[in-house]
Amino acid sequence: MSPQLPPVAPAVTAELVAALSPRLRKRLDSGIAKLADRPVVRDGAVVHIAVDDDTDLELHAPDGAVRGADAVRCGCLLAPDCLHRAAAASLAPVAEDTDSAAPQDRSAAEEDTAQAPETATPEQRAAVRAVQLATSAVLEAGTDGAGAVLQAELLRAAHTARLAGLHRAAATAVSVVTALRAARAADPAYHLTELAAGLYEVLSVAHRLPSASGGELTALRGTARQPYRPDGSLRLYGLFSEPVLTASGYAGAVTWTADAEGRLYQVSDVAPGGAGRAVGAADRTVRIGDTALTHRELARAGLAVSGATVSPTGRLGAGAGVRAVRAPGAGWHEEPVARLWAEPVPDQIARALAGGRDLLFLDVTLTGTAAEAAGDCLLAEGAGVPLRLTAAHDDPALPHRDNLRLLSAAPGTRLRVVARLTPAPHPRAQLLAAEHPTRADTRLDIGLDRLQGADLPTTTAAPSGSVPVPVSASASACDEAPIHLLRRRVHQAVSGGRPVLALPGDTRADARRLRRSGLTTAAELLTDLHSAAADRAHDVFGRLRPTDPDRFARAWLAAAHYTRELDRTLCLAAWTS
């Protein structure tokens, strides 16, 4: 996926692909691959792609994204019904609505919520059914088979869902398409677990919404914008900044702050862009009031805000009525900030697993590094348990991996850190910020500040290369827990589709092992998943009937839900054992 192309609205991609003839649809994926190798030139709000020596393709994005099919223009003889326009739209990132609505949008968002019906409307049921069918088709095909045509069908369903007020289903469906494209392009940032989580979210919402009512329905619908509410005056203390870099083509930075009660607030600057914008955003002035602080400075200073507006997730608004001035900050070992680390870790984990904030405030001792398939992770002892600290981003433009590598060469170093919980059967989190290993009064934003060898303790030599240590026996035991037999099939379905699970094979041995471990439900779900994948009835003439994507999707959703809930239980147990 070219980071140089502007994001394209889902409805535009769906419209352009739908307009193709059946013959051109079959050639769409190969057309995308060819177009990906062509030169791209940006001229203001217009991006030019050289289709060949004589033909240019233009994408017009006056507000940073392509919003209409007529904004994709091709100079070839077959235009506007050519393959090039659909290929360009399918190659570009998917435009998504940001959740940083301006304060003046607050009343509209609240009015939409207040007037929403208590049960799903026929229009919403039809829209969510379309999302369900398109997602089931993607799951049946797997990443290898879910090409641009299936992606466009899911984008069309997402657009229909958004028009029907089903913003949660629409946004998650778009994220699934983004992850599919990353998988098919062999993007290093792609993670199978994230795609599986997206598919689970879409299918779960589609399954529950038709019969939901009241508060559950409101949560399943979601909102187009986060409503910002007045919050009076705030005295905030900077904690850290982290870069934002999404596969959908957005980048920037978010700075986290806390008030005297320990409540967290964020100031964000996220817009279309790539790694360069993520790196540079830390030195941009924060968009709140008249303050001249950059994100990097705010992370270490304080802020006094009057007329504040805040979203439900703690994001600060930047409306005309907001006033903000610089104020003194507080060190991580000073009040009121230190109270964040005083909260018992089990309480922090329980809150995160219950859907609350997923930031963890930990005191750890570094112990080394461990090799994993996704790259080395930093080993540490914290809260009485061994834990793994991983990189939040793999993009080489960001220093996450390099910083973890250097920190792993300082075993025995005690650090106060901020991390983001990664639910797993063993203690695991993404390292976001840390104290400097030799300067206690200095904080490090792991995704923005680069450590050097000279920053390590004098008794530690900077490593010329990472030397992983074996993973502990207890961690290996967690990885090999019997539930992995079901989880592996859930992930295999995502990557290979229904045909992979329909291949001949005996699953009885795995089912027996699960039952011997007391996981009877897991054994039944595993058997049902394989049965649904292999279910191909014959008609009276002996011909195979079409598969039933609905049955396979239901079986997969049940297995994914079970593993998800069991993983959450194991995660809590691992952190509190």
Side-chain angles (χ1 to χ4, degrees):
M1 184 182 301
S2 173
Q4 296 174 290
L5 298 182
V8 177
V12 174
T13 304
E15 179 180 344
L16 293 176
V17 173
L20 294 177
S21 66
R23 179 179 63 86
L24 289 180
R25 285 193 183 192
K26 294 179 181 179
R27 296 171 48 193
L28 181 55
D29 289 316
S30 61
I32 293 171
K34 292 178 181 177
L35 203 62
D37 295 330
R38 302 304 302 165
V40 177
V41 177
R42 182 179 292 271
D43 181 13
V46 181
V47 174
H48 302 267
I49 305 176
V51 176
D52 54 40
D53 293 339
D54 303 316
T55 305
D56 265 9
L57 183 67
E58 296 180 351
L59 285 80
H60 293 253
D63 67 345
V66 176
R67 303 293 181 185
D70 58 352
V72 184
R73 306 167 189 172
C74 184
C76 75
L77 296 176
L78 296 179
D81 300 323
C82 62
L83 181 69
H84 305 132
R85 297 173 69 223
S90 301
L91 178 64
V94 182
E96 59 183 20
D97 291 339
T98 62
D99 58 2
S100 53
Q104 58 264 30
D105 293 333
R106 181 180 66 252
S107 59
E110 291 174 346
E111 183 180 354
D112 288 345
T113 302
Q115 294 180 354
E118 291 302 305
T119 58
T121 66
E123 179 189 20
Q124 289 175 334
R125 289 190 176 93
V128 81
R129 177 58 176 162
V131 171
Q132 186 177 40
L133 290 174
T135 307
S136 298
V138 165
L139 179 63
E140 172 146 342
T143 55
D144 291 340
V149 173
L150 285 182
Q151 294 170 24
E153 289 300 322
L154 185 51
L155 290 177
R156 178 184 295 278
H159 178 63
T160 302
R162 190 176 297 281
L163 293 179
L166 303 180
H167 305 290
R168 180 175 169 183
T172 312
V174 168
S175 72
V176 166
V177 173
T178 297
L180 280 173
R181 293 181 178 180
R184 292 172 61 83
D187 188 333
Y190 164 72
H191 296 288
L192 175 61
T193 54
E194 293 180 2
L195 175 55
L199 288 167
Y200 169 82
E201 171 76 2
V202 178
L203 290 173
S204 178
V205 170
H207 174 74
R208 295 160 55 198
L209 189 139
S211 59
S213 61
E216 182 187 12
L217 177 60
T218 298
L220 291 173
R221 281 199 318 262
T223 57
R225 303 171 298 273
Q226 288 196 19
Y228 283 70
R229 305 176 188 277
D231 204 16
S233 297
L234 297 173
R235 176 65 171 90
L236 304 176
Y237 301 85
L239 295 172
F240 71 98
S241 288
E242 63 173 320
V244 175
L245 183 60
T246 72
S248 56
Y250 287 80
V254 172
T255 297
W256 291 81
T257 66
D259 67 7
E261 303 301 321
R263 291 185 293 264
L264 300 185
Y265 299 83
Q266 312 109 56
V267 180
S268 67
D269 180 1
V270 179
R277 191 179 196 284
V279 172
D283 295 313
R284 293 174 180 266
T285 302
V286 298
R287 298 178 179 178
I288 179 169
D290 299 322
T291 178
L293 286 170
T294 66
H295 283 271
R296 194 185 301 274
E297 292 170 336
L298 176 58
R300 293 152 178 83
L303 204 63
V305 186
S306 61
T309 57
V310 184
S311 77
T313 59
R315 182 163 297 177
L316 292 172
V322 180
R323 298 288 182 267
V325 296
R326 181 172 186 155
W332 284 0
H333 290 272
E334 301 171 358
E335 291 297 341
V337 171
R339 69 177 54 197
L340 294 168
W341 280 266
E343 183 181 11
V345 173
D347 293 349
Q348 296 187 47
I349 301 299
R351 181 184 57 248
L353 292 175
R357 73 183 188 210
D358 57 0
L359 293 185
L360 304 179
F361 298 88
L362 308 171
D363 289 300
V364 305
T365 300
L366 306 183
T367 59
T369 185
E372 295 186 332
D376 295 348
C377 67
L378 180 63
L379 297 180
E381 291 283 341
V385 296
L387 62 106
R388 305 185 207 182
L389 297 173
T390 63
H393 288 283
D394 290 320
D395 194 291
L398 301 174
H400 292 90
R401 287 272 177 210
D402 292 339
N403 286 338
L404 261 65
R405 179 180 63 85
L406 281 168
L407 288 173
S408 69
T413 302
R414 291 183 58 82
L415 294 176
R416 182 156 277 194
V417 304
V418 183
R420 177 169 286 117
L421 177 66
T422 302
H426 53 269
R428 186 181 189 86
Q430 296 174 345
L431 185 60
L432 303 177
E435 291 176 317
H436 194 282
T438 56
R439 299 196 294 272
D441 59 341
T442 302
R443 309 174 197 173
L444 293 171
D445 296 328
I446 297 298
L448 298 170
D449 302 322
R450 284 192 179 273
L451 274 171
Q452 304 296 326
D455 295 319
L456 299 180
T458 54
T459 56
T460 302
S464 58
S466 178
V467 182
V469 300
V471 179
S472 68
S474 61
S476 298
C478 285
D479 287 342
E480 294 303 321
I483 190 59
H484 84 280
L485 298 173
L486 179 60
R487 185 189 303 107
R488 183 173 62 193
R489 298 301 191 276
V490 169
H491 289 168
Q492 283 179 340
V494 174
S495 58
R498 184 197 58 77
V500 170
L501 297 189
L503 293 174
D506 188 358
T507 62
R508 287 175 294 182
D510 287 347
R512 283 195 299 269
R513 183 178 173 187
L514 288 168
R515 288 192 177 92
R516 284 198 303 268
S517 300
L519 300 174
T520 303
T521 301
E524 294 174 353
L525 291 170
L526 177 64
T527 301
D528 187 55
L529 182 59
H530 278 275
S531 175
D535 184 14
R536 295 294 303 275
H538 294 75
D539 62 17
V540 293
F541 299 105
R543 297 172 298 192
L544 282 174
R545 296 184 183 275
T547 59
D548 182 0
D550 263 355
R551 185 194 170 191
F552 180 65
R554 287 194 302 271
W556 181 89
L557 178 60
H561 179 74
Y562 180 89
T563 57
R564 175 187 173 95
E565 292 304 311
L566 186 57
D567 279 347
R568 290 160 65 92
T569 301
L570 293 174
C571 178
L572 181 59
W575 279 91
T576 56
S577 61

